[in-house]
């Protein structure tokens, strides 16, 4: 089963990255298109979100690292050049929210989760193409995050800022922001093992264990006030799955034995909690309200991808074959209902009747990161 699963997912890794290279490259204005509709038609004049550009850079960099394929290294280089030239604010530093199709900034606001994703992308590119320039850009983003969004008293990182870093949402925190910053810090620590970064990565990992994971349900609590008091009853199964393996990766990068032990336990707890959202067909529902028990009855692409990694991770930790079996079931669901066999890439998702949801194939909210990363993680873990 392991060999069959790995080989199938390895082929899909190649399909995803080839699609983005061949269908999403913007040969006229540079970089990559900002949007593609569900029918496979790219919009050459769409806004280009910095989050999407980061995800493209991270995905191709990781693909080049894993395979050595020259075309993916070249694609990563194009993504890096666009990101460097158009997504960095030349006056106030940090990453702008979006540009127009030609790279002219349209919304310069600063979103902490976009900074985290930028660090993740830049650090991955630094692995495949080391340079002082790339590392200095990443260090600058990290420093600005610490200076303007970090809460040194209560821990964690606050919401968005204006272009000049004036806080816009100082009274709220979210698991979403912390998770993407955790990803970025973990990747950055791998290429820049700075003592300050180590301290903040340890603090952020511990924050998840102590405050963000619900001790009663095992789910991530998603929204908080500034004092880390939980706000709301929503659970996101995809974020539970994603955090389960990302937390362990952070602890292992730090080589902190005690923290790694805690994160291994948390990984199983989060995965088991997220399995509440897995349907009998192997697909993962998007979200639910724990108070009303009402489901968001959509099976979107990215929770399926995160479930694959989390389940294989749980199997590797525990040795319990049930997790590997569930991973196989989720892959079967993806293969049957999420892969777009006609147009390529993955659909946005399907509804409760398994009918495709007609949202964008690529855009602000949908890049190649979750699915290509899941494929690369599975290939690496099952070799």
């Amino acid at each position: 089963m392991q060999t069959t699963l790995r080989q199938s997912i390895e082929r899909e890794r190649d399909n995803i990255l080839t699609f983005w290279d061949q269908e999403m490259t913007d040969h006229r204005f540079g970089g990559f298109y900002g949007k593609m509709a569900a029918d496979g038609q790219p919009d050459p004049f769409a806004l280009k979100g910095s989050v999407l550009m980061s995800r493209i850079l991270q995905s191709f960099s990781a693909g080049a690292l894993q395979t050595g394929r020259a075309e993916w290294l070249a694609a990563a280089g194009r993504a890096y050049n666009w990101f460097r030239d158009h997504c960095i604010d030349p006056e106030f530093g940090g990453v702008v929210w979006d540009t127009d199709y030609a790279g002219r900034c349209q919304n310069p606001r600063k979103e902490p989760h976009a900074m985290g994703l930028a660090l993740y992308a830049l650090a991955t590119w630094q692995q495949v193409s080391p340079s002082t320039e790339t590392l200095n850009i990443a260090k600058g983003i990290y420093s600005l995050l610490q200076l303007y969004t970090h809460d040194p008293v209560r821990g964690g990182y606050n919401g968005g800022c204006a272009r000049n870093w004036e806080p816009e949402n100082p009274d709220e925190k979210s698991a979403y922001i912390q998770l993407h910053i955790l990803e970025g810090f973990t990747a950055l620590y791998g290429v820049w093992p700075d003592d300050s970064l180590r301290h903040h990565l340890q603090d952020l990992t511990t924050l998840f264990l102590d405050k963000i994971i619900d001790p009663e349900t095992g789910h991530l609590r998603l929204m908080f006030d500034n004092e880390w008091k939980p706000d709301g009853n929503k659970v996101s199964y995809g974020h539970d799955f994603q955090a389960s393996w990302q937390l362990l990766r952070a602890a292992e990068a730090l080589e902190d034995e005690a923290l790694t032990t805690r994160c291994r336990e948390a990984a199983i707890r989060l995965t088991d909690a997220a399995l509440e959202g897995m349907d009998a067909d192997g697909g993962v529902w998007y979200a639910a309200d724990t108070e009303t028990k009402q489901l968001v009855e959509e099976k979107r692409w990215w929770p399926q991808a995160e479930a694959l990694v989390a389940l294989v991770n749980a199997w590797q930790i525990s040795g319990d074959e049930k997790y590997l079996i569930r991973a196989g079931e989720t892959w079967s669901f993806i293969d049957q209902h999420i892969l777009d066999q006609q147009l390529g890439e993955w659909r946005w998702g399907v509804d409760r009747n398994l009918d495709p949801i007609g949202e964008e194939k690529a855009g602000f909210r949908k890049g190649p990161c979750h699915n290509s990363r899941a494929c690369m993680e599975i290939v690496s873990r099952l070799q």
Side-chain angles (χ1 to χ4, degrees):
M1 177 182 176
Q2 295 175 43
T3 301
T4 301
L5 183 62
R6 182 186 62 77
Q7 290 174 342
S8 298
I9 291 178
E10 187 172 26
R11 287 192 294 271
E12 184 54 26
R13 174 202 65 194
D14 295 351
N15 291 340
I16 294 166
L17 292 180
T18 299
F19 177 92
W20 282 82
D21 188 21
Q22 295 182 356
E23 305 298 332
M24 287 295 291
T25 296
D26 187 340
H27 295 284
R28 181 178 179 186
F29 296 107
F32 294 81
Y33 295 126
K35 185 177 181 180
M36 176 181 279
D39 64 3
Q41 292 299 311
D43 181 350
F45 301 109
L47 292 174
K48 295 181 177 181
S50 63
V51 166
L52 177 61
M53 298 302 121
S54 291
R55 291 191 184 281
I56 293 170
L57 172 56
Q58 194 280 327
S59 298
F60 278 116
S61 298
L65 275 173
Q66 187 168 85
T67 68
R69 287 177 62 163
E71 67 268 35
W72 294 346
L73 178 62
R78 292 197 302 275
Y80 171 74
N81 289 338
W82 175 273
F83 189 88
R84 177 199 60 201
D85 294 344
H86 302 295
C87 295
I88 302 297
D89 187 329
E91 183 175 354
F92 291 95
V95 178
V96 302
W97 182 244
D98 63 28
T99 71
D100 71 4
Y101 58 89
R104 295 169 293 231
C105 180
Q106 300 300 297
N107 188 338
R109 80 175 190 269
K110 307 294 165 58
E111 291 289 344
H113 78 274
M115 308 294 164
L117 289 167
L119 290 178
Y120 189 19
L122 290 166
T124 311
W125 173 243
Q126 178 70 5
Q127 285 185 271
V128 72
S129 181
S131 75
T132 302
E133 177 189 68
T134 301
L135 193 56
N136 284 340
I137 293 171
K139 289 178 182 179
I141 294 170
Y142 165 74
S143 297
L144 290 165
L145 268 176
Q146 292 305 129
L147 182 62
Y148 291 112
T149 72
H150 180 240
D151 186 336
V153 177
R154 305 168 190 85
Y157 296 81
N158 295 318
C161 300
R163 183 185 182 188
N164 64 356
W165 296 96
E166 284 292 321
E168 294 182 335
N169 300 299
D171 298 323
E172 66 179 45
K173 294 183 171 76
S174 74
Y176 178 77
I177 288 174
Q178 317 312 315
L179 184 56
H180 286 308
I181 293 176
L182 179 85
E183 289 178 318
F185 282 8
T186 302
L188 183 59
Y189 188 72
V191 297
W192 181 51
D194 175 74
D195 287 343
S196 168
L197 176 57
R198 178 182 179 85
H199 169 75
H200 290 298
L201 181 55
Q202 283 177 321
D203 280 355
L204 191 52
T205 306
T206 303
L207 181 72
F208 271 89
L209 299 173
D210 292 346
K211 293 184 178 180
I212 297 179
I213 299 174
D214 190 322
E216 294 182 5
T217 67
H219 293 289
L220 294 183
R221 294 184 286 206
L222 299 179
M223 299 300 299
F224 303 83
D225 67 12
N226 198 36
E227 302 287 337
W228 288 104
K229 179 182 177 182
D231 181 16
N233 303 300
K234 186 178 178 181
V235 297
S236 169
Y237 301 116
H239 286 112
D240 289 340
F241 280 129
Q242 185 174 351
S244 73
W245 68 274
Q246 288 284 357
L247 285 170
L248 182 56
R249 172 148 298 173
E252 290 175 341
L254 291 165
E255 298 182 330
D256 184 322
E257 185 175 343
L259 193 59
T260 298
T261 297
R262 291 189 68 193
C263 287
R264 287 167 68 92
E265 294 168 353
I268 298 299
R269 187 119 199 267
L270 282 162
T271 300
D272 286 343
L275 282 171
E276 296 169 11
M278 184 173 286
D279 201 1
D281 60 10
V284 179
W285 295 111
Y286 179 61
D289 187 302
T290 56
E291 186 172 318
T292 65
K293 308 300 181 185
Q294 184 172 359
L295 281 171
V296 178
E297 293 184 327
E298 296 179 0
K299 296 172 181 174
R300 300 186 187 180
W301 90 100
W302 72 266
Q304 322 306 320
E306 295 301 332
L308 278 178
V309 184
L311 289 164
V312 171
N313 182 60
W315 165 66
Q316 291 175 320
I317 292 170
S318 68
D320 192 331
E321 291 276 332
K322 73 178 183 182
Y323 295 113
L324 186 60
I325 292 169
R326 300 301 288 272
E329 292 169 353
T330 297
W331 173 246
S332 294
F333 176 83
I334 292 169
D335 187 41
Q336 294 176 40
H337 302 292
I338 302 298
L339 302 189
D340 190 333
Q341 305 291 357
Q342 291 184 320
L343 300 175
E345 236 281 341
W346 291 20
R347 298 187 176 97
W348 178 272
V350 294
D351 62 20
R352 63 177 301 175
N353 299 316
L354 300 177
D355 293 325
I357 298 169
E359 292 282 351
E360 61 197 21
K361 187 176 289 292
F364 269 81
R365 297 180 294 165
K366 189 173 184 297
C369 182
H370 286 284
N371 53 1
S372 70
R373 179 177 68 183
C375 292
M376 285 183 263
E377 282 288 328
I378 300 304
V379 168
S380 176
R381 289 166 183 264
L382 297 185
Q383 280 180 339

